[in-house]
Amino acid sequence: MPDAFIYDAVRSPRGKGRKDGSLHEVTAARLSAEVLNAVKTRNSLDTRAIEDVIWGNVTQVAEQGGCLARTAVLARDFDESVPGVSINRFCASGLEAVNMAANQVKGGAGEAYVAGGVEMMGRVPMGSDGAAIAVDPSIAMGSYFVPQGISADIIATEYGFTRDAADELAVRSQKRAKAAWDDGRFDKSVIEIKDINGLPILDHDEYMRPETDMQSLGGLKPSFKDIGETMPGFDKIALMKYPHLERINHIHHAGNSSGIVDGAAAVLIGSKAFGDMHGLTPRARIRSTAKIGTDPTIMLTGPVPVTEKILRESGMEIGDIDLFEVNEAFAAVVMRFMQAFDVDPEVVNVNGGAIAMGHPLGATGAMILGTLVDELERSDKETGLATLCIGSGMGAATIIERV
C-alpha cells in the first residue's frame, strides 16, 4: 500500500466570528479559495495533478451550502478539471477531509488531494441548519440530546474537574498562544487575507486575549447553568441518562470554552510519486487514521476511545507519541484526555488551542494538524497525534510522523 504524505499545510488567521470581526466581509467560498490558491502558489503546483478537493464544513446552508468545495475550486486559480466534495463530520470535518484524502492515496485512488475546511461562524451561525438531532423530538428524546455545553459540564461532573482547574487550562492556552505568535511559530502556515481591493485585512488570530488570568475568568458566570437548571431544563435529561450523578456541576463559560471564529485551512496530501514528479519534499507521513462513535449525550469524550483505537490499530502505545493536539472545544475535553492517558500537559497543545484562538468548526481539524506538523519540525520531534471531539458523540484522530 502506498504511503500518504503531507507536503504543505496552510491556514487563514482566525477572525472574530461576529459582525465587527475582520473576516466578516469574506464569504466561505472566497476564504476557501484563498487557502486553496496559497497551496497552489507556494508549491508552484499544476492543479491538474490534483485528484479532488475534499472540504469540511459544518453548517451547510445559505452561502455555505451547495458543494462548497467545487465552488471554491471555481472561485480561484484551480483548473476546472479539479472536482470537489464537501463533507460534514461536525467539529472534525477538516481532519476527516484529510483522513479521507490520505486513505484515497493509500488505496491508489489518485496521487494527490487538497483537503481541509472552512467555517464562517459570523456569517452563517452555528445551528442555523436545523439539525434533526437537536430539533426532531423523535430523535432528540431517544438519544437524550443536550447541547454541547451541557455535555462538557457532564464530563466535568463525571470525572471530577473543578472550575479552577478548567480556568487554569484556559489561562495556559492563552499564554501559550501568545508565546507562539510572539515567537513566529505560525509564520510558516498562516497567510495574510486581503480584501477585494488587495488591501490587508487580517494576518493574525484576533480572538486571543493574552491578558486573561484567573481573576478575570473568576468573574464570568457559567454559560450553561440557566439552560441546564431552568427552561428547557437539560440537566434533568442528563440525569435521566446518568442517574448516579446527583447534579450537574456547571463549570464552563466563555473563557474556558472555544471561541466562535471565522477561518479556513488546507493540506496538500500526496504519494511519493506525486512529490517526485513535482519536485516537492514531504514534511510528514500520515501513519494512521481512525474514527469512532461514542455516547451521544456526554458526546465529547470521543478523543479517548478513538485514541485507544488508533494506537491499537497502529501497534503503538501512548508513550510513542511525542506531541498531541487535542481540540480545546471545552476545557474538560482536554482534561479528560490527559487524565485518561496520564499525559504530561507539557506535550499537549503546546502552542495554545481553540480556547485562546477560536474553533472555526469545519476548519479546525486541518488547522491543528498543520500546527502539529510545524511544531514537530520546530521542536525536532518525530511523532504526533491530532484528535477532536465531535457532536452527536464521535471522535476522530490522525497519527503523523516527520519525514
Side-chain angles (χ1 to χ4, degrees):
M1 181 179 293
D3 283 325
F5 296 96
I6 295 174
Y7 285 94
D8 200 8
V10 303
R11 72 170 176 92
S12 74
R14 298 169 173 99
K16 294 178 182 178
R18 58 195 193 201
K19 290 183 179 180
D20 63 348
S22 295
L23 295 181
H24 186 70
E25 68 186 75
V26 185
T27 66
R30 186 178 149 224
L31 193 65
S32 298
E34 289 297 314
V35 295
L36 290 180
N37 198 59
V39 170
K40 174 184 182 293
T41 303
R42 285 159 52 118
N43 298 281
S44 301
L45 189 62
D46 180 350
T47 58
R48 290 174 297 181
I50 300 299
E51 185 74 19
D52 203 356
V53 171
I54 305 177
W55 213 237
N57 175 235
V58 175
T59 310
Q60 297 187 5
V61 295
E63 62 190 51
Q64 289 187 170
C67 182
L68 188 58
R70 176 62 174 171
T71 305
V73 166
L74 297 175
R76 201 56 197 267
D77 298 334
F78 269 46
D79 192 86
E80 67 178 19
S81 64
V82 182
V85 60
S86 295
I87 68 164
N88 184 358
R89 201 186 290 279
F90 295 135
C91 296
S93 296
L95 187 67
E96 188 60 35
V98 172
N99 290 352
M100 286 181 175
N103 290 327
Q104 291 280 78
V105 171
K106 290 181 179 182
E111 298 292 337
Y113 288 75
V114 178
V118 67
E119 206 78 34
M120 303 304 291
M121 300 180 75
R123 295 177 63 93
V124 184
M126 179 171 53
S128 57
D129 52 349
I133 187 66
V135 303
D136 185 338
S138 66
I139 300 173
M141 292 177 66
S143 62
Y144 293 88
F145 170 82
V146 297
Q148 287 192 5
I150 300 293
S151 299
D153 287 338
I154 296 172
I155 294 173
T157 307
E158 177 72 23
Y159 295 100
F161 303 137
T162 65
R163 168 150 175 178
D164 279 351
D167 287 355
E168 287 171 3
L169 186 147
V171 171
R172 183 165 69 237
S173 181
Q174 295 283 354
K175 303 306 182 189
R176 287 179 173 180
K178 182 180 187 303
W181 271 103
D182 289 348
D183 196 35
R185 298 182 192 179
F186 299 124
D187 289 353
K188 183 181 288 188
S189 299
V190 176
I191 62 171
E192 183 178 63
I193 303 300
K194 300 178 180 180
D195 67 15
I196 58 175
N197 298 311
L199 300 175
I201 55 176
L202 190 63
D203 63 359
H204 64 280
D205 292 325
E206 69 173 342
Y207 181 80
M208 292 166 50
R209 294 156 292 175
E211 72 284 354
T212 298
D213 56 24
M214 292 295 288
Q215 288 70 35
S216 61
L217 293 183
L220 298 177
K221 295 181 179 180
S223 296
F224 311 103
K225 183 179 177 67
D226 286 346
I227 63 169
E229 295 181 352
T230 59
M231 292 298 294
F234 285 110
D235 283 8
K236 292 181 179 180
I237 297 173
L239 294 173
M240 289 173 63
K241 184 74 173 286
Y242 312 111
H244 62 285
L245 302 177
E246 293 184 4
R247 58 183 294 275
I248 306 301
N249 183 23
H250 294 286
I251 71 165
H252 289 94
H253 50 73
N256 59 27
S257 306
S258 57
I260 293 174
V261 295
D262 304 322
V267 181
L268 176 61
I269 299 149
S271 65
K272 184 178 185 300
F274 165 77
D276 291 344
M277 183 177 299
H278 295 272
L280 300 175
T281 302
R283 298 176 63 191
R285 179 174 76 96
I286 297 179
R287 173 163 177 162
S288 187
T289 70
K291 59 270 188 184
I292 201 167
T294 63
D295 181 336
T297 306
I298 202 169
M299 194 185 308
L300 306 175
T301 55
V304 173
V306 80
T307 296
E308 293 170 342
K309 179 181 180 183
I310 200 171
L311 292 174
R312 182 173 63 251
E313 293 178 347
S314 303
M316 301 176 72
E317 298 179 354
I318 199 72
D320 297 325
I321 307 297
D322 296 315
L323 292 172
F324 298 88
E325 283 289 325
V326 183
N327 186 40
E328 293 176 355
F330 298 90
V333 174
V334 183
M335 296 165 71
R336 173 57 189 150
F337 182 89
M338 293 189 295
Q339 179 192 65
F341 296 106
D342 193 24
V343 173
D344 186 347
E346 294 304 310
V347 297
V348 179
N349 301 345
V350 299
N351 293 311
I355 290 174
M357 294 177 284
H359 175 20
L361 308 178
T364 303
M367 285 186 171
I368 67 172
L369 190 66
T371 298
L372 188 59
V373 174
D374 287 345
E375 183 59 26
L376 286 172
E377 293 173 343
R378 188 195 72 83
S379 60
D380 195 25
K381 304 290 186 182
E382 297 299 322
T383 306
L385 182 146
T387 184
L388 302 92
C389 61
I390 308 174
S392 299
M394 294 183 281
T398 306
I399 294 176
I400 62 173
E401 297 174 333
R402 275 181 63 206
V403 174

